[in-house]
Amino acid sequence: MPMEDISSEKKALSLSQLNGLIKAAITDTLPDMYWVTAEIAEIKLNQKGHCYLELVEKEDDTTIAQIKATIWAYEYRAISSKFQKATNEPLARGMKILLLAAVTFHEVYGLSLNIRNIDPTYTIGEMARKKREVIDRLRKEGVIDKNKLLELPLVPQRIAVISSPTAAGYGDFINHLDANPYGYRFVCVLFPALMQGNEAETSVIRALDQMRKKRSDFDLAVIIRGGGSTVDLSCFDSYALAAAVAAFPLPVISGIGHEKDDTVVDIVSHTRMKTPTAVAEFIISGVRAFEETIMGLEARTVNRAEDFLKDEKQRLNSLAQQLALVPYRLKSVHLNRLLLLQKDIRGHLRQIFHARKNRIENLQQAVRHLDPEQVLRRGYSITRHKGKVVKDATSLTSGMMIESTLHKGTVASVVQSEKAGKEGKDHGKKQGPDLLPGLE
Amino acid sequence: MAKSRDLTYSQALNELEKIVAEIESEEVDVDVLAEKIKRASFLIRFCKGKLRTAEDEVKKVLSEMEEGPVEEAAGEEGDGY
């Protein structure tokens, strides 16, 4: 074998000699520093403060290039804080960065890039591009407005909260709700989740799943974080979380607590508020709006009731006034009737008196006709025998002395004969009607 | 008429709006009007009261949540935290 030949000829280099050659070659061929774009596949800090990274380039999820890189502690602090300030994110796995690096070769540690600078604007652009892609995808799938199309509850009183239980923002939220000036009571139930870091995305999605099972107990869902660091919001730009929020069956109010661009979760949530306190304020205003509606209806009811009472009072008053007049009117009516009656009675009395008078006059006349004096005057006579009135001729016999009283004077005579019978009686009867004229 | 226990905000609001429209229509009979105003004032008191007590809601949600956190905790353990 040729290899054996070579080693036996003692022309072999030691490993360090070879690495020395490599190092020299690299230094000669790649003496400058280069701007390179790469994705961070791994990143860690060691105890001395040096930062070690694994950089990759991917094409359709397949790694097509990979290299180790370092940022020495001396420069790491400045580079990372500049990056974080610009992007609001710390350097992290999955990020694409534009870095300035020298290619170095160490005899023991091999080939690596020594990173001297990182340009955050590239990462910002990359993040924005990624975010746009997520938004475009949600839009294409027709879910981006799904949560916004849900109607807000009439009264948001039962609130399901996703937050970290220890977050200051969660305390702010609860305190602000409880301290509302109207005395409203809220029911808040926390579905705890990690709100930052690599686990945040799955943790929040899991909390949403828990919440979904209890959705009939709640009017509204809120996702809040805040207090502490305002960095590392990348989980709120993730497709999976944004899709879960967009498709959530209750309106989701976000209060993720940052001043910069909206995250995708903010974009798909029903309503985006800046801080947890603002979310609480929003909820209180919703309840207040309902109560104001009720108060408006109350005012209208009260108005109507007052109008009604006023009308009734007026009606009662006018009735009372009418009633007050009744005695007077009754009095005058009765007086008139009395006067009429009086008149009637007088008329009747006059008639009665008149009739009586007539009758009395008739009677007087009749009585006058019966007076014996009057009878004698008309030619009748009274016959007596020994002072006794003779009514029957048979009681007389011839030779008896009788005395006849006429209208004027008396005649004494002697009976020659007597005729008894009907004539006398008829005569007597005949006298009756003649004697009593007008006595009917 | 729904009893207060079963009454929701939206039922109360709907009924209240209906009553107010009726009593403002002027055609309503006096006796009916008094009855309606009484019902309206009950509904108003119900809504205002419910906004400030929510006791039943708290109890209901909390009793239902008692199972919830247990499941949740078990799930998290199962995920190997």
Side-chain angles (χ1 to χ4, degrees), chain A residues 396-427:
Chain A
L396 295 175
T397 53
S398 306
M400 273 183 174
M401 282 291 291
I402 54 171
E403 193 185 66
S404 296
T405 306
L406 306 178
H407 178 55
K408 280 183 180 159
T410 307
V411 179
S413 32
V414 177
V415 176
Q416 278 183 338
S417 68
E418 45 80 30
K419 274 183 197 162
K422 282 179 186 172
E423 213 175 313
K425 279 177 190 171
D426 285 348
H427 186 247

Side-chain angles (χ1 to χ4, degrees), chain A residues 198-250:
Chain A
N198 290 331
E199 306 293 334
E201 180 181 344
T202 50
S203 177
V204 173
I205 289 172
R206 193 163 49 227
L208 280 171
D209 287 342
Q210 293 286 338
M211 205 186 255
R212 184 188 287 266
K213 289 179 201 155
K214 307 275 180 196
R215 65 165 179 262
S216 60
D217 289 335
F218 298 104
D219 304 313
L220 210 58
V222 305
I223 299 179
I224 47 176
R225 68 184 288 288
S229 88
T230 56
V231 299
D232 193 10
L233 294 164
S234 58
C235 72
F236 297 103
D237 283 331
S238 96
Y239 167 77
L241 177 51
V245 168
F248 200 71
L250 290 172

Side-chain angles (χ1 to χ4, degrees), chain A residues 43-332:
Chain A
I43 179 165
K44 57 191 170 197
L45 277 180
N46 79 355
Q47 288 176 336
K48 291 174 186 164
H50 303 309
C51 180
Y52 296 91
L53 306 97
E54 201 68 50
L55 300 176
V56 294
E57 182 181 348
K58 285 182 182 172
E59 211 176 75
D60 300 329
D61 282 341
T62 309
T63 303
I64 58 167
Q66 182 162 358
I67 197 166
K68 281 183 281 188
T70 52
I71 311 172
W72 302 124
Y74 186 70
E75 282 168 332
Y76 175 73
R77 198 173 283 253
I79 288 172
S80 72
S81 79
K82 186 181 91 180
F83 182 87
Q84 192 159 314
K85 220 170 178 178
T87 63
N88 267 318
E89 308 270 343
L91 285 165
R93 197 177 62 191
M95 268 179 190
K96 286 189 175 166
I97 56 174
L98 173 61
L99 55 99
L100 180 66
V103 184
T104 62
F105 186 84
H106 189 278
E107 290 82 348
V108 175
Y109 303 111
L111 191 67
S112 79
L113 300 183
N114 178 23
I115 297 174
R116 308 298 305 277
N117 202 351
I118 294 176
D119 183 353
T121 53
Y122 173 78
T123 307
I124 290 169
E126 273 303 300
M127 279 162 53
R129 189 185 55 78
K130 224 167 115 187
K131 196 166 133 183
R132 268 202 309 277
E133 278 172 10
V134 169
I135 293 167
D136 287 346
R137 185 174 166 192
L138 291 167
R139 189 170 288 134
K140 225 175 276 169
E141 289 169 357
V143 297
I144 196 155
D145 285 332
K146 227 174 150 190
N147 200 263
K148 284 186 202 307
L149 292 175
L150 295 176
E151 239 178 88
L152 282 173
L154 185 59
V155 182
Q157 201 172 15
R158 304 172 303 166
I159 317 295
V161 186
I162 289 181
S163 181
S164 158
T166 53
Y170 175 63
D172 291 347
F173 175 75
I174 297 292
N175 291 341
H176 201 80
L177 274 188
D178 285 349
N180 79 81
Y182 311 107
Y184 302 143
R185 283 285 308 268
F186 293 93
V187 182
C188 291
V189 176
L190 177 68
F191 292 78
L194 295 164
M195 299 306 279
Q196 60 186 34
N198 290 331
E199 306 293 334
E201 180 181 344
T202 50
S203 177
V204 173
I205 289 172
R206 193 163 49 227
L208 280 171
D209 287 342
Q210 293 286 338
M211 205 186 255
R212 184 188 287 266
K213 289 179 201 155
K214 307 275 180 196
R215 65 165 179 262
S216 60
D217 289 335
F218 298 104
D219 304 313
L220 210 58
V222 305
I223 299 179
I224 47 176
R225 68 184 288 288
S229 88
T230 56
V231 299
D232 193 10
L233 294 164
S234 58
C235 72
F236 297 103
D237 283 331
S238 96
Y239 167 77
L241 177 51
V245 168
F248 200 71
L250 290 172
V252 176
I253 314 299
S254 69
I256 293 171
H258 56 104
E259 299 295 326
K260 299 248 170 176
D261 291 346
D262 289 351
T263 65
V264 182
V265 166
D266 286 320
I267 290 165
V268 298
S269 69
H270 186 285
T271 302
R272 182 251 155 142
M273 304 305 290
K274 274 192 176 166
T275 62
T277 306
V279 175
E281 197 54 49
F282 176 78
I283 290 169
I284 293 165
S285 75
V287 177
R288 185 63 184 159
F290 172 77
E291 193 174 34
E292 276 170 359
T293 304
I294 294 291
M295 284 159 74
L297 290 166
E298 181 182 23
R300 284 163 68 184
T301 305
V302 168
N303 274 346
R304 187 69 185 93
E306 280 173 357
D307 283 354
F308 165 68
L309 287 176
K310 219 164 76 188
D311 288 354
E312 287 300 292
K313 207 172 155 189
Q314 249 169 18
R315 254 171 55 186
L316 280 176
N317 278 343
S318 76
L319 270 177
Q321 277 173 0
Q322 284 174 23
L323 275 175
L325 291 175
V326 164
Y328 298 102
R329 210 180 300 156
L330 272 182
K331 206 164 143 187
S332 73

